[in-house]
Amino acid sequence: MAVDQNKAAATYAKVDRRIIPFLFLCYILAYLDRVNVGFAKLQMSKDLSLSDAAFATGAGIFFIGYFFFEVPSNVLLKKFGARLWIARIMISWGVVSSAMMFVTNDTTFYVMRFILGLAEAGFFPGVIFYLTLWYPSHQRSTRTAWFVSAIALAGVIGNPVSGMVMDSVSGALGLAGWQWLFLIEGIPSIVVGLWVISYLDSSIGEAKWLDDDEKALLAANIEAEDKHKHQHRLIDAFKSGKVYVLCAIYFTLMIGLYGIAFWLPSIIKAFGVKGYLNVGLISAIPYGVAVIGMLFISNHSDRTGERRLHYAVNVTAGAVGLALSGYFSADPVLAIAFISIGTLGVIGSMPLFWPMPSAFLAGTASAAGIGIVNSIGNLGGFVGPNVPVWIKQYTDQPSAALYAIAAILLFGALLTVLFIPKTLTPKPPQE
């Protein structure tokens, strides 16, 4: 038995080394290309005469395009395989992201953001589904955390890099800093997308770097778990009430995520910080806290096999952090400290959330169900950037938007406690 356990541990470690760092790199590029518009706003709003309302609409309209193609994209990923489909997604979004440099007014801004959403649709849920092909449920939260931590690391690395680009090459060859930002940060996605074709395997059976015994061990673990899932067909995903509860919960989480991501550079600049690089360095702090905290929380969730309460408690802590950051907005140090807690509460909850759909869905139903949850939930990405704009119509209180987002996150935590059954989160099998 000890030999089998050692063999299993070594095999999963081998899979970890092969696919997790690569997917991590892909998601850093994906998230950076999605939210670098928040940094570009510091300059492009003036150049293009974009109002805050126009920026919020353009930032959020990405998720409308994302919504329309999300489920079809995830089903096509299952049909054509992760290798070709993820490569297609990365190359197309890299091209569109770089082409954002040609935006000239609010209309072209809206159009390009919508097309970027179409191009990127299916990447995140595709990877979440891809992980279900390699890891059983009780191992998935930690691996998802490693993958999702790319969001936080994209903030840690991407914000200072974005600031440095805008500080150093603004005006070169007659292009504004924000134009260089879109061009420079879009190209790596194209390069890595081409790399996906030769590197990524669509299934355990295709992996030439595994021997036959290792393949059999991995496949047996997945098959043993899938026997206990009763929803396998495409229609099962659309008929499941649990799927739509998860959609509502994820919707609230995405309002928090993109409410922070798109406005954080502007919040930092409003503290009186000078220079784009300095704004980037300070805005990296909350993401750094999130990287460390989410790995600890998700590891604890995997060890205990509990998801629901981990998710609800962490989101609640994040909501409190955002509310307190608004309350102490006059003190930049305290405000950043509490924004960091809020960021951990939002980003750190994603790896706790995503093992839930695959706990009761399998096969095509899993691909479609993950796509449904991600597409409907990500409509919160349209709401999040617009919350400050909408709130401003009713109050001049500068922290009101943070209070509103905090209340929405608390509502999502309440939904989780009330409507997500304990049986949805299976515990690790006993040895």
Side-chain angles (χ1 to χ4, degrees), residues 41 45 50-63 109-110 113 262-263 381-390:
K41 173 189 179 291
S45 288
L50 287 178
S51 65
D52 281 353
F55 167 75
T57 300
I61 207 169
F62 168 96
F63 298 97
F109 181 49
Y110 299 159
R113 287 289 296 177
F262 287 125
W263 288 101
F382 178 81
V383 176
N386 280 284
V387 168
V389 176
W390 296 335

Side-chain angles (χ1 to χ4, degrees), residues 159-383:
N159 284 344
V161 168
S162 296
M164 185 172 61
V165 168
M166 289 177 62
D167 270 339
S168 60
V169 298
S170 184
L173 302 179
L175 298 176
W178 62 268
Q179 291 176 299
W180 280 112
L181 179 66
F182 286 130
L183 176 63
I184 290 172
E185 293 187 351
I187 291 173
S189 296
I190 301 172
V191 174
V192 174
L194 294 171
W195 186 13
V196 168
I197 297 173
S198 62
Y199 186 88
L200 206 62
D201 299 293
S202 294
S203 66
I204 295 171
E206 290 184 9
K208 296 180 180 178
W209 42 275
L210 293 172
D211 62 36
D212 290 341
D213 288 343
E214 290 168 335
K215 291 179 183 180
L217 185 152
L218 294 172
N221 286 344
I222 298 298
E223 289 169 7
E225 182 174 82
D226 283 350
K227 287 179 182 178
H228 301 286
K229 302 175 184 177
H230 304 292
Q231 296 172 304
H232 294 258
R233 302 169 302 163
L234 179 64
I235 191 63
D236 290 334
F238 287 94
K239 290 168 59 179
S240 174
K242 295 173 186 175
V243 167
Y244 295 105
V245 172
L246 291 170
C247 286
I249 295 168
Y250 199 57
F251 181 84
T252 65
L253 190 65
M254 292 300 96
I255 290 175
L257 177 63
Y258 293 107
I260 295 170
F262 287 125
W263 288 101
L264 183 59
S266 297
I267 292 172
I268 301 299
K269 189 178 181 183
F271 290 150
V273 177
K274 305 296 183 184
Y276 297 121
L277 177 57
N278 291 330
V279 172
L281 290 171
I282 294 174
S283 61
I285 294 172
Y287 291 103
V289 172
V291 169
I292 298 169
M294 74 189 304
L295 292 175
F296 171 79
I297 293 167
S298 60
N299 181 262
H300 187 268
S301 176
D302 267 356
R303 283 191 287 108
T304 61
E306 203 286 322
R307 311 292 188 205
R308 186 184 64 153
L309 292 180
H310 277 76
Y311 179 89
V313 171
N314 196 53
V315 167
T316 299
V320 172
L322 289 182
L324 290 176
S325 72
Y327 184 79
F328 291 104
S329 59
D331 186 327
V333 175
L334 279 177
I336 290 297
F338 286 120
I339 285 178
S340 298
I341 295 173
T343 304
L344 170 59
V346 173
I347 297 177
S349 296
M350 292 179 68
L352 306 174
F353 176 88
W354 280 111
M356 292 193 229
S358 55
F360 64 96
L361 297 171
T364 302
S366 181
I370 290 170
I372 293 168
V373 172
N374 199 59
S375 61
I376 295 177
N378 261 297
L379 290 176
F382 178 81
V383 176

